[in-house]
Amino acid sequence: MSSESLPPEPWRSFLRDLDEALQSPARLDCIGGFVVTQLYGLDRPTADVDVIELAPKEASETLMEIALQGGPLHRKHRIYLDRVGVAAIPENYEERLTEMFPEAFRHLRLMALDPYDIALSKLERNSQKDRDDVRHLSRTVPFNMATLQQRYETELRWQLGRPDREDLTMKLWMEMLSE
Amino acid sequence: MTGEDLKSVRTASNWTQSEAAFRLGVTQAYLSMVERGSRPVSNALASKVVRVFPLPATARPIKHRAVRRGGEEFFKRALGELGYPGFAYLESQQLVNPAKLLLLALDSEDLDARVTEALPWLPMHFPDMNWGWLTSESKSRDRQNRLAYVALLASDVAQKRGEFELAEKLRFHAASLERSRLANEDTLAHSSLSEAERKWLRTHRPPSAAHWNLLTDLKAEDLQHVF
């Protein structure tokens, strides 16, 4: 296994420990800063791996027990898994997942959301760091604005609690990314 | 740091002058002169003192020690070294006084948003930092609006956590800057904001950010994960 196919430290050791704790294959669907930094070159710090799906259930229980904030692996590596339960994600995201570090681990498979899906998962929170990440993704990928808008309208908007408010946020994003 | 400070940390550690001099890499005679005030505490000696003695971070040299800023990396590592959970996984040899670190950050043109959201953690965790120096230096650099807003954010977080005395103390520090509040519009160390964001923030920022003429939407609710 070449070192290029493994994440840098401290992620490498943390994920290896996770892998060793598993008895059977497990899949983590990842979003947030970890994916943006590892796949899209964003030089930003992040202390957690944001996960929206952990499968199967048995593996999920094992991983949650050892890798959540305050757990033994957090105390050891000072990074942790964060299960994101509230983020709204475009509905067909699973069809667009890509594997990060394929075959790097025995049981663990880290799947990354498509960059448009990652961006849209940040829409409701819309904090400064979210906007900065979206701007970075938009320049690095680079984004097709029509695709971003279309995915928002067809796959995300209907899921949102306050779609009128998010329409305004989306308008801000489109203006911001066009500058 | 003065010679008197040095003497008090040495005696608090129950070390003789000879033991301390050995650990600091100086002669006992020189240490004696420093402690008596007949020689100044050099930057090099002050740096060694903070490494050798179990001093609190707020006792680290603040005025004279040159800190070389290495961009985002410097702030991340220095915050991590001080114990900020978000960057605690990063290793650092930087031993920076929290007040100095806060000033350097507030005086930056463009901070990573994750570093910016870490700033209220400094006054929360080091409420006894040298506020006199910090406010005076902030004013001399026209950063008082940024400092006041960070102190207010920290106060709001303390309030939400039920730490009312600390909340009041931090609010007092912010209020003490009221008379020197600047009328010019500024950002919270994020001058690269796009025009669209600036326009949006003028109507969507919290009232206290508007009061301090800052274009930011950072608020205490966004900081729960930080503490």
Side-chain angles (χ1 to χ4, degrees):
Chain A
M1 187 63 55
S2 71
S3 60
E4 286 77 25
S5 63
L6 290 165
E9 293 292 6
W11 305 105
R12 182 181 303 190
S13 301
F14 173 75
L15 293 169
R16 259 194 193 139
D17 282 356
L18 275 186
D19 190 46
E20 282 169 15
L22 292 166
Q23 302 301 317
S24 55
R27 194 188 93 189
L28 270 63
D29 295 350
C30 307
I31 58 172
F34 176 69
V35 178
V36 182
T37 52
Q38 301 300 318
L39 288 190
Y40 300 102
L42 182 63
D43 182 21
R44 292 242 174 89
T46 183
D48 59 359
V49 182
D50 293 318
V51 174
I52 53 167
E53 184 63 47
L54 268 157
K57 189 169 173 290
E58 307 76 60
S60 159
E61 283 164 2
T62 306
L63 296 182
M64 290 292 107
E65 204 173 291
I66 60 169
L68 286 186
Q69 193 167 14
L73 291 189
H74 180 213
R75 289 197 295 275
K76 181 178 175 187
H77 300 285
R78 297 181 178 184
I79 50 181
Y80 57 95
L81 281 190
D82 191 11
R83 188 149 198 181
V84 183
V86 291
I89 316 284
E91 66 173 331
N92 296 318
Y93 85 86
E94 283 184 306
E95 295 170 9
R96 298 182 286 263
L97 288 171
T98 52
E99 185 161 5
M100 306 168 75
F101 320 113
E103 298 176 32
F105 305 104
R106 199 159 49 114
H107 296 306
L108 198 60
R109 293 185 69 207
L110 293 169
M111 309 302 289
L113 264 72
D114 163 274
Y116 291 90
D117 293 335
I118 291 177
L120 289 170
S121 74
K122 294 170 178 286
L123 189 77
E124 273 188 308
R125 192 173 63 175
N126 187 35
S127 70
Q128 188 62 59
K129 65 182 176 187
D130 296 325
R131 292 194 293 272
D132 290 348
D133 284 357
V134 170
R135 192 168 16 227
H136 173 87
L137 280 172
S138 158
R139 287 172 185 162
T140 309
V141 171
F143 276 177
N144 177 321
M145 293 297 125
T147 304
L148 184 67
Q149 182 76 42
Q150 197 232 350
R151 198 171 294 178
Y152 166 68
E153 283 167 10
T154 59
E155 296 192 28
L156 184 69
R157 192 177 185 280
W158 64 270
Q159 304 182 50
L160 302 172
R162 290 182 56 191
D164 52 336
R165 190 189 73 173
E166 306 328 331
D167 286 348
L168 272 179
T169 308
M170 195 64 197
K171 185 169 175 284
L172 158 71
W173 281 23
M174 297 303 274
E175 287 178 19
M176 175 185 88
L177 299 178
S178 301
E179 274 187 31
Chain B
M1 180 180 291
T2 64
E4 205 173 318
D5 295 335
L6 180 47
K7 185 174 180 179
S8 59
V9 295
R10 176 179 66 75
T11 51
S13 300
N14 292 319
W15 287 357
T16 63
Q17 269 190 347
S18 301
E19 283 172 323
F22 176 76
R23 294 183 194 227
L24 292 167
V26 297
T27 64
Q28 187 262 324
Y30 175 71
L31 181 60
S32 172
M33 286 189 282
V34 170
E35 286 189 355
R36 287 200 313 273
S38 57
R39 289 283 187 280
V41 181
S42 67
N43 290 344
L45 183 60
S47 298
K48 278 184 194 162
V49 170
V50 299
R51 286 183 163 78
V52 167
F53 291 100
L55 291 170
T58 47
R60 292 171 182 171
I62 196 168
K63 291 179 185 167
H64 305 300
R65 183 170 174 252
V67 173
R68 262 196 279 165
R69 263 190 282 187
E72 297 299 333
E73 198 62 18
F74 162 77
F75 289 112
K76 288 184 273 177
R77 289 184 185 279
L79 280 160
E81 190 277 327
L82 285 169
Y84 175 67
F87 306 139
Y89 65 96
L90 297 169
E91 291 179 359
S92 176
Q93 296 304 310
Q94 294 276 5
L95 300 178
V96 189
N97 183 296
K100 179 141 196 163
L101 185 62
L102 182 54
L103 177 75
L104 291 172
L106 292 173
D107 197 30
S108 297
E109 284 305 312
D110 254 314
L111 280 184
D112 181 287
R114 288 162 179 80
V115 174
T116 306
E117 72 177 17
L119 299 183
W121 180 88
L122 287 169
M124 271 284 292
H125 285 263
F126 303 100
D128 296 324
M129 65 168 82
N130 191 335
W131 281 95
W133 176 86
L134 183 58
T135 52
S136 147
E137 285 293 312
S138 297
K139 284 183 199 172
S140 74
R141 300 167 195 224
D142 283 349
R143 300 307 192 193
Q144 58 267 48
N145 288 17
R146 296 179 179 189
L147 174 62
Y149 194 63
V150 166
L152 278 180
L153 286 172
S155 170
D156 288 349
V157 173
Q159 186 80 26
K160 283 178 189 296
R161 291 159 57 107
E163 297 177 45
F164 302 118
E165 199 176 320
L166 175 59
E168 188 55 38
K169 191 174 181 179
L170 293 167
R171 193 160 288 277
F172 169 79
H173 289 309
S176 72
L177 292 161
E178 188 65 39
R179 288 182 65 189
S180 59
R181 182 164 61 102
L182 299 168
N184 287 348
E185 186 178 87
D186 193 10
T187 64
L188 192 55
H190 204 337
S191 63
S192 64
L193 281 177
S194 68
E195 275 310 309
E197 279 178 290
R198 286 171 187 267
K199 195 173 135 199
W200 185 85
L201 284 168
R202 280 182 200 115
T203 52
H204 289 81
R205 59 187 164 174
S208 50
H211 176 78
W212 288 99
N213 294 313
L214 291 179
L215 292 174
T216 178
D217 56 354
L218 188 63
K219 45 196 178 301
E221 298 91 284
D222 302 328
L223 300 172
Q224 296 309 312
H225 68 287
V226 162
F227 291 90

